[in-house]
Amino acid sequence: MTKKTSRVLALLAGASLVIAACGGDDGDSSSSDTGAPATEAPSDGGDTDTSACGSGTLEGGAGGAEGEAAMRITIDINPDAVWQDGCPITVADFQCSVNATLNTPGSISTTGYDKIISIEAGASDQQVVVEFNEVYAPYKLLFGGLIQASAVEDCNDISTDFADSIQISGREWIMDSWSPEQLVFTPNPNYWGDAPSTERVVMVPFADFDTQSAAILAGEVDFIYPQFFAGITDALSDANITNKVEFGGDYEGFYFQSDPNRGGPFSDPIFREAFVKSLDRQGVFEQIYIPLSDGQGKLLECGPIVPGPYCNDSFVGQYDPEGAVALLEANGWAKDGSGYWAKDGGEAPTIRWIINTGNTRRENTQAYLIPLMQAAGFNVVADNCDAACYFQQRLPALDYDMAMYISTAPPDPAYLTASFACDQIPSDANNNAGQNSTGWCNEEATALLKEADITVDEGPRSELVKQVMDLMAGDYVMLPLFQFPKAGFWRTDRLGGPVDAQLNNYRAFNNFSQWEDVDGDGQIILGAEQWPECLNPVTECANSSWMVWTTAFPVLPNVWDTTNGGTFEITNLVAGEPTVEVL
Amino acid sequence: MAFRRFVRHRGALVSSIILGTMILFVILAPFTARYGVNEAVFKTSIENPNQFLSPRGIAWLGTDDIGRDLYSRLIYGLRVSIFIGLAAAFFGTVLGVTIGAIAGLRGGWIDDVLMRVTDLFLAFPFLVTLLVLRSVMSSVSWLEPFVGKPTSIRFVIVLFVLFGWMGVARLMRGQVLALKEREFVEAARALGAGPVRIVVRHLLPNAIGPILVALTFAVSSAIIGEATLGFFGYGPQPGAGSTSLGKLVGGAKGALLPGYWWLVVFPCVLLVLSTLCVNFIGDGLRDATDPKLDGTR
Amino acid sequence: MLRFVLRRLLWAVPMVLIVTFLVYVALRVGTNPLASYLRVNQRASAKKIQQYIETNGLYEGFGGYLRGYFQWLQGFVTFDWPRSIKGSREVWPEFRDAMMNTLRLGLTATGIGILIGLSLGVFVALKPGGLRDTTVNTGAFVAISTPPYVSALILQLVFAVYWNRWFGSSLLPTSGVYPPGNRGFDLFLMIKHMVLPVTVVVIQIVAVYTRYMRASLLEVLNSEYMRTARSKGISERRVLVRHALRNALIPIVTVAAIDIGAILGGLIITERIFSYPGLGDFFLGAYDNGDFPQMMPWMFFFTLVVIFFNLVADVSYAVLDPRIRLGR
């Protein structure tokens, strides 16, 4: 999974505590000291003296956005909801989580939280009242991955907390131990919902698919959730191994850097349109993606989004090589001596196509497509570098002409604003931290996106998003390719229960507390494709899907969880659907 | 004499023939390869996919994940690898001979420092040194015009040259130390020959045997080095235009378990075979040029 | 002799300092820790950044590097190691665990490998030129030309995956130190998990040492003084044990000490393939992240090891070979 993916994912994930630049970062000042630092060992359950639990609200509150309250959300915490130490989950924990996301120096994203004016206790310490300075439609992405206020020393900077262990829990599991070799979960004795059906869950990292598949074939692990590739089902053919393939929120696409201020061949809309019309997506799909989908996949036509309520199939039928030639010739382009299109006798533009080295699928795509595009008169060259250089330097700096990467579409389309609005193009105005790495600026689309973000009503909101997709297709700024399969493979002789129930969920295989340990060895062993370096839920550590799947989701409580069908539902953390008032 | 000894080394003889054939194939790649490096054997379709075909008439060694002919790709890959091997070994040897000669002739602190540095460089794990050098070379922006991008073939060659001169330097220094007191060198010096002339005209010809041997082994270690970097994902990425043994062997990883044995066996065999041949030739050369072995065989 | 050893020891101290300083510079340039910190902590305030620079000694310029180096060294020696950049975790506990794992793997493999290699070397050197010699020599050649990852993949395939297909359960595990989910220490399981990685490393070592021993012993056996010894009527066996073996081992001890780097290099590759949580895996992980605080202690430690073994090589050479000119 790519960095790009995980960044989007982390927004929703446990990490979503992330907030923005408001609260001035002066770490040492006025940190609300809520008493005892990290509770190390979980208590043995039973009744706990709640007087030792610290205050139910934080001194100084939380949030920091300016302005009039435009939206208010009232959340009633389930009175049974307690942390692993028996202390009730209160407003203080919400406040602390939001402050940590907003103010920790390494916080990866503060989107949404930066609109919070205040978080206060309502009728009791278990009623959370949040006021926003504008209507924020994707509010269900917020309040995930809550942390316990009394577990950290300073809610405004938790960068050194949770480095190698998350000792708090508001879900089924307690993290018994975590090391580079394995992660062990045991049931949380104070969990107020259904107890897990297994005594112990162990996760083990594997360096690559080879060792991972060898381990499941050898019966060393019970379940794996590998990235799909051609031949994977052959590789894992065994009478005791079964699998389920679903098509989730991961999609891959081509992106064309079209920022007029940065120049580049694709800043010319005519050239961009001709290029896109000359690119045979169906061919790419047949050569690269069909083997990848076990014959079940289809070409993605929606845009940077997956089929569902926001999809309009806007990208159908753009391949039109004759139209491209006609368009170029009508606009003063002609083929030069080496067969490449050049305008008004000038030099033929070179198109730098970047991917991360070592990604076989993308390298194969280049190998397949570059000769074809060159034959069509476009001088495309591979200009690749490693993943760190690609995702952390070149892409954010818009230092490319054509890119190819996977993104994850969360169930809420709010991510589109961050990735495609005009004011998100990296510039001095946003400290070059904008996330729009295509440089696409269409004022009309931006206005529609902003409106969608403040439209709480589902129907009108999806119409707005569909209009944006149409505009995007008309501007030829990207080409969707393929919705990726998500597959779980597990041994039926060792594992039972609803293993396949949540594989399409944004939260992946997180229902493992319901799985049954068929072989009776008292534990379920899951193989992990990636292993987090560290467990902090708001910093760069959380910028990885596997980190949130394996370490944050099983222990940190959310107000809303995603479902297998791509919707949101409240968890048992709250007593009922929170009330949302637009003021 | 030396040639006869070389020919008597059966391994070396056979290896020379095999390697010679390989090189011929590689040079004549446009004719010997049946398809282009990125050309699919036929256009794929859902009913008749071109991916992962086992060896057959249209693709003697099978096809890969996007329907390219493995046989042709092996030829193009070997071409890049042999080029890297030869270039790295040649420049590394030239650098090593120069440094070794300076150390040997000058002696004193230059010698001490050079040899200490050489010792250390050689003592560090090869992959670690390569990786650290690699990160330095790719971080210093003003080096880029000289060494190229970290994914380029030139970069890898420079990397291997920087890494590969030390063994030769040590060897050359030993040769110079052994030879410089000899009469013919003394005589040349007495006649007023400068150090460069002495090295080139007198020392080098006498040390040519061991240097040639070292050069041969440098070729094989550069080929293996490229493959190792490639296997772990740090290797050259020749881009869409070509491939290398490292990339082909690295690709074998994913093909093992689905049972696409041809994608595993052929690249690995070719890698082992080519380095083995080079090593055998080096061994033969050593026997042929080492006077101490006279008459023992 | 003592003077020679002392001289070498004195050499070693500035050597360590100079080399580790160079390593420090190389890593600082290569990984740029400040940039990594900023990438990970995008919301860090100017004050936090300044604080980070000072606690980690990331000053600029030659003087800055020198100052930073000594600041780092002081922290290193007092075990006040800077935290890793990603996730600001403590480095020492992980480093220590990795070191233990590597020592276990490395010592086992080296011990077995050298033992087999030397024996094979003697075995073939006694009858050079015959079928035995050719077979072993060719085998060693093939082994040297086979990179460890190739042998590792084949071993994994045969003993884990295909064994499972043929017999229903795999013979040997392919990764880690213990099976997933294991609790506590278990010698048998540990050994079982070490078999394949050890084999891969042993193959390399055997190949190298067989050839060393063969060449070295042949040279001794053909030398003047052996001929003399034989001509004096000393029995072949006695010649071999008393003189030849001893003399043949001299260069090998030296080579072995210098070779430590090559062995470690093989270990790194092997650990990676078998997901064995040792120093090699530690280094590659840190390298991929560009994590300076993790890489620097690793490099420092290895520099010490390498310089130490170089010293051992020099001294052992001097001790074992009386012909060496001392105090050059």
Side-chain angles (χ1 to χ4, degrees), chain A residues 25 28 105-109 157 159 163-164 178 181-182 200 204 207 211 217-218 220 392 525 533-534 540-541, chain C residues 39-45 47-48 86-89 153 164-165 170 173 175 180-183 273 275 277 289:
Chain A
D25 180 65
D28 318 345
S107 175
I108 43 171
S109 167
D157 182 356
S159 54
D164 46 22
W178 180 83
E181 293 101 63
Q182 65 177 25
R200 222 166 99 93
V204 194
T211 49
L217 287 168
E220 289 174 16
Q392 289 167 20
I525 302 172
E533 310 283 326
C534 49
E540 186 78 5
C541 310
Chain C
R39 201 160 47 231
V40 171
N41 295 285
Q42 294 186 352
R43 280 161 232 279
S45 59
K47 195 171 140 200
K48 278 258 153 80
K86 193 159 184 185
S88 64
R89 308 178 50 206
L153 284 181
N164 187 43
R165 286 189 190 174
S170 68
S175 68
N182 181 68
R183 285 172 256 205
I273 297 172
S275 313
N289 284 335

Side-chain angles (χ1 to χ4, degrees), chain C residues 162-179:
Chain C
Y162 271 84
W163 203 274
N164 187 43
R165 286 189 190 174
W166 295 329
F167 306 108
S169 74
S170 68
L171 186 64
L172 293 166
T174 56
S175 68
V177 181
Y178 285 122

Side-chain angles (χ1 to χ4, degrees), chain A residues 320-539:
Chain A
D320 176 15
E322 289 87 20
V325 172
L327 178 71
L328 286 171
E329 282 173 349
N331 284 281
W333 292 76
K335 286 197 178 176
D336 68 3
S338 32
Y340 297 132
W341 291 105
K343 187 165 186 175
D344 303 330
E347 221 174 299
T350 303
I351 296 156
R352 298 172 302 142
W353 178 358
I354 188 171
I355 59 161
N356 52 321
T357 52
N359 183 309
T360 316
R361 180 183 65 255
R362 293 183 190 138
E363 285 174 355
N364 281 344
T365 313
Q366 285 189 332
Y368 170 75
L369 203 53
I370 288 180
L372 296 180
M373 292 315 289
Q374 287 180 340
F378 298 93
N379 187 18
V380 183
V381 296
D383 183 20
N384 308 335
C385 66
D386 61 44
C389 150
Y390 178 25
F391 294 112
Q392 289 167 20
Q393 293 166 27
R394 302 272 306 268
L395 208 53
L398 277 65
D399 181 12
Y400 70 94
D401 300 322
M402 176 175 176
M404 180 187 188
Y405 49 80
I406 290 190
S407 314
T408 296
D412 191 287
Y415 67 93
L416 292 170
T417 316
S419 309
F420 295 101
C422 291
D423 56 5
Q424 289 293 326
I425 299 174
S427 67
D428 291 338
N430 54 29
N431 277 331
N432 286 309
Q435 302 263 323
N436 181 346
S437 48
T438 58
W440 179 51
C441 178
N442 181 320
E443 299 292 350
E444 193 188 346
T446 302
L448 289 168
L449 282 171
K450 302 247 152 147
E451 203 187 331
D453 277 354
I454 57 169
T455 306
V456 183
D457 202 356
E458 215 25 65
R461 188 163 180 222
S462 69
E463 282 312 309
L464 291 169
V465 174
K466 284 180 182 175
Q467 288 179 42
V468 175
M469 292 300 117
D470 290 345
L471 286 171
M472 195 179 279
D475 278 355
Y476 303 97
V477 66
M478 66 88 61
L479 276 177
L481 291 168
F482 185 61
Q483 188 184 2
F484 268 76
K486 294 190 160 194
F489 291 81
W490 67 97
R491 293 191 70 94
T492 46
D493 55 341
R494 290 173 172 261
L495 206 54
V499 182
D500 56 355
Q502 299 288 329
L503 297 177
N504 201 27
N505 195 334
Y506 203 71
R507 298 165 54 81
F509 46 87
N510 265 267
N511 63 336
F512 57 75
S513 61
Q514 299 160 23
W515 298 359
E516 282 154 31
D517 171 29
V518 171
D519 60 335
D521 63 351
Q523 58 186 0
I524 295 176
I525 302 172
L526 312 178
E529 281 228 315
Q530 288 166 19
W531 205 236
E533 310 283 326
C534 49
L535 310 182
N536 191 303
V538 309
T539 65

